[in-house]
Each structure stands twice: as C-alpha cells, then as structure tokens.
Amino acid sequence: MAATTSPAEPGTSAEPTRAPAPAPASDAVGLGRRRAAGFIAPALVLIALFLVAPALWTLYLGATDYRLTGLPAIDPSFVGLDNIKQALGDDGFLKSLWLTLLFVAGSAVIGQAVLGFVLAWWMRERAGWLKGLFEALVMLSWILPSSVVAFLWIAFLDRDGGTLNALLHTPGAAWLLDHPMLSIIVYNIWRGTAFSMMLYSAALGNVPASHLETARLVGASRWEQLRDVVFPCVRGHVLTNLLLISLWTFNDFSPYLITAGGPDGKTETLPVFIYQTALGSGQLGYGAAISLLMLLVNLVVAFVYLRLLGRKKKERATAKEAEAA
C-alpha cells in the first residue's frame, strides 16, 4: 500500500515521513549479546569444569585435614590456615621451594633464554638446508613426549652403558647420583630451548635492517649492535619469553620421570614434593595447601614480569610522543 503524506501547511515545505534508524548492534559483527553468549558458552563451561571447579575444590581441601586413608578420609575436619602455617615451618617444603627456584633460574632464566637467543642470533644469517636441518633437530627435542625424552636422558646418563660416559671416557660415573640437580637442569635446557629460539627468531626478524646497517657503517662492534640496536627492539619479547618459560619450569613435573625426586630429595622440586605429599603420603589436605602456596608464588612471578612489561610499554609510548613533538 502506497505511503501517504499529509498536505503541507502554507509556508512550510513538504517532507516525507522517514522510518526511525535501526539501533546499532551491540558488538562488532552484529550478533547481539545473546547469540554471542551462545557461541562462548561451551568454552565457559569447559573452563568452569576443568579450571574453576578444581581450583575451588583444591581451596576447600587445603582448609581441611583430608587424607586418603583413616578417619579423615571419611569425615575430614576444617583446620583453616593450619596447613599453610605447617607448610611455612616445614623444612621439606622450604627445601623443595629453594630447589624449584634454583631449577627455574638455572634451566629457564639462564639456560633456555640465553641459549635460545644465541641460537636465534646465529641462525639469523644462515640459509639453506643446514639451517633447516638444525632447526628441525632443535624442534625435535621440544615436540617429543616427556616420557620419551626422560628415557633417552636416562640412557644417556647411565652409569654402565651411558653415551655420555662413552664420549668422556669416564666409565662408571654416576651423573644422576653425583650431580642430580645439574643433570635435570641440563636436561630441561635441552628440552625447552626450542621455544625461546623460535620466539627470538621472530623478534629478530622485526629488527629494522637499516638500523643494523647504520650501526655497522659507524663502526659499531657486534656487541654494540646487540646492546644499542637489537636489545632495545626485542626487550618486550625477552620479558614475555622469560615470563612463560619461568612459569612452565616452575610447574614442571617431568624431572620426576628421571630422578623421582632423589637421591635423598636432592631433586624434589615443588611439583614433585606436592605429589609425594598428597598421593605418596596420603595427605591430600596438606598437599592442597602447598599447591595454593605454589599458586601464590606463580602470581608473584607473573606480577613482577607484567610490571616490567607495563613499564616497557610506557617508555615506548613516551618515546613516540617525544618524536611526534
């Protein structure tokens, strides 16, 4: 049916009546809140089931004396913060915390981060099949399952027929008994360096070639190029890498596959100590409380790195504003 318009009054211009404009969509793709919520609902359900629910259950267990056997298994009692206080005074917990920090500093912060950057810098100017072969070998150590890698290193460090003793001509040297912490640190460096190498390779690819060429023309040495040109460009990537590998290494359980925390607890890092306490000794409540302390340490480490990243972003924004001015 044709639209009709009312006759215009004298002295006014006749304009057709327009329909009101549709309300803008509440999201960028125009789905609307309800349909968008329907898309993310499955992911939220999985997060609730496998992350939130276990975290809440662990929080509850940490406040009880729950055990695998005995009366506390049937009727656990609420103990509040007693488990936390016990852990802070437990020499075993403090020793495992120190070993974990040593493991993170040696294998992640010093080992993987430094070696990964050295490999990425060395391969930056390489090309051809040799570079591809080297990258494939480094990646192989990262993608292999932890159980396979642990078996290979046990065979490599074996006292009687180990490959390392054959190479060094040191028959009978018990590396896992005489140098247990050093052994798992080197093992973790070998296993995790590939990630740092890939991240640094991508970061170095974003360094402007003109900046490096200018540094060469003015006579800058290789170290001066790294210090004054490369490091300022990749500092954010370095902090991101350190954050990720520090958290991964802090929560790594794979050393248990090689030493099972021995000998005499010399490689009993926090994940292994929690496993031994909760499942080995049956003290689930106490083990859950220690895992909460472990979570707090993770949050502190993440907070420090994020503050450093935030400071880096502020410095970059200030520099851009200065250039614009």
Side-chain angles (χ1 to χ4, degrees):
M1 182 176 179
T4 60
T5 58
S6 59
E9 297 180 0
T12 61
S13 59
E15 293 183 357
T17 303
R18 295 181 180 180
S26 58
D27 58 309
V29 295
L31 288 175
R33 293 184 179 179
R34 292 185 179 179
R35 280 178 290 181
F39 276 104
I40 65 173
L44 294 177
V45 170
L46 292 177
I47 291 174
L49 287 176
F50 296 103
L51 291 178
V52 178
L56 294 177
W57 178 246
T58 303
L59 184 63
Y60 162 74
L61 287 180
T64 66
D65 62 347
Y66 192 86
R67 296 181 62 93
L68 286 177
T69 58
L71 292 178
I74 302 174
D75 185 21
S77 302
F78 182 80
V79 296
L81 298 178
D82 289 351
N83 286 330
I84 301 292
K85 297 176 182 178
Q86 180 183 349
L88 295 177
D90 188 351
D91 292 337
F93 167 74
L94 297 177
K95 177 185 176 181
S96 65
L97 178 60
W98 164 248
L99 291 176
T100 305
L101 296 176
L102 181 64
F103 183 55
V104 172
S107 64
V109 177
I110 298 176
Q112 295 179 24
V114 174
L115 182 58
F117 186 87
V118 170
L119 294 177
W121 180 257
W122 179 79
M123 290 193 302
R124 185 178 57 92
E125 299 177 351
R126 303 298 185 273
W129 66 270
L130 182 61
K131 177 181 179 181
L133 177 62
F134 186 80
E135 288 179 340
L137 292 176
V138 176
M139 285 294 298
L140 186 63
S141 64
W142 190 50
I143 63 177
L144 284 175
S146 298
S147 57
V148 176
V149 175
F151 175 80
L152 292 175
W153 273 83
I154 290 174
F156 181 72
L157 300 173
D158 186 64
R159 172 189 293 183
D160 299 324
T163 307
L164 183 59
N165 284 336
L167 292 174
L168 299 179
H169 303 288
T170 54
W175 298 96
L176 292 176
L177 295 177
D178 298 335
H179 310 283
M181 200 65 197
L182 179 61
S183 298
I184 65 171
I185 286 176
V186 174
Y187 149 79
N188 198 55
I189 292 174
W190 181 86
R191 187 172 65 101
T193 298
F195 177 82
S196 297
M197 183 193 72
M198 291 188 299
L199 191 148
Y200 289 143
S201 296
L204 291 174
N206 293 327
V207 177
S210 59
H211 292 186
L212 289 172
E213 186 63 26
T214 303
R216 294 192 195 99
L217 291 176
V218 299
S221 64
R222 300 280 285 187
W223 166 246
E224 289 173 338
Q225 294 175 36
L226 282 173
R227 183 191 63 191
D228 300 329
V229 179
V230 176
F231 284 151
C233 293
V234 303
R235 187 167 56 177
H237 298 81
V238 171
L239 290 175
T240 301
N241 178 63
L242 286 174
L243 170 62
L244 293 175
I245 63 177
S246 296
L247 294 179
W248 290 342
T249 306
F250 193 88
N251 299 282
D252 191 11
F253 186 73
S254 62
Y256 180 84
L257 302 175
I258 297 181
T259 61
D264 297 329
K266 293 180 180 180
T267 58
E268 195 174 52
T269 57
L270 264 180
V272 178
F273 181 75
I274 293 173
Y275 171 80
Q276 301 280 27
T277 301
L279 298 181
S281 302
Q283 303 177 62
L284 284 180
Y286 186 46
I290 298 174
S291 67
L292 292 176
L293 291 175
M294 185 175 177
L295 174 61
L296 291 178
V297 175
N298 279 280
L299 292 176
V300 170
V301 172
F303 177 77
V304 171
Y305 280 122
L306 291 176
R307 285 294 300 270
L308 293 175
L309 283 172
R311 186 179 303 173
K312 167 63 178 175
K313 291 181 180 179
K314 289 182 180 179
E315 292 176 358
R316 186 180 302 173
T318 304
K320 288 182 178 179
E321 292 176 357
E323 291 178 1

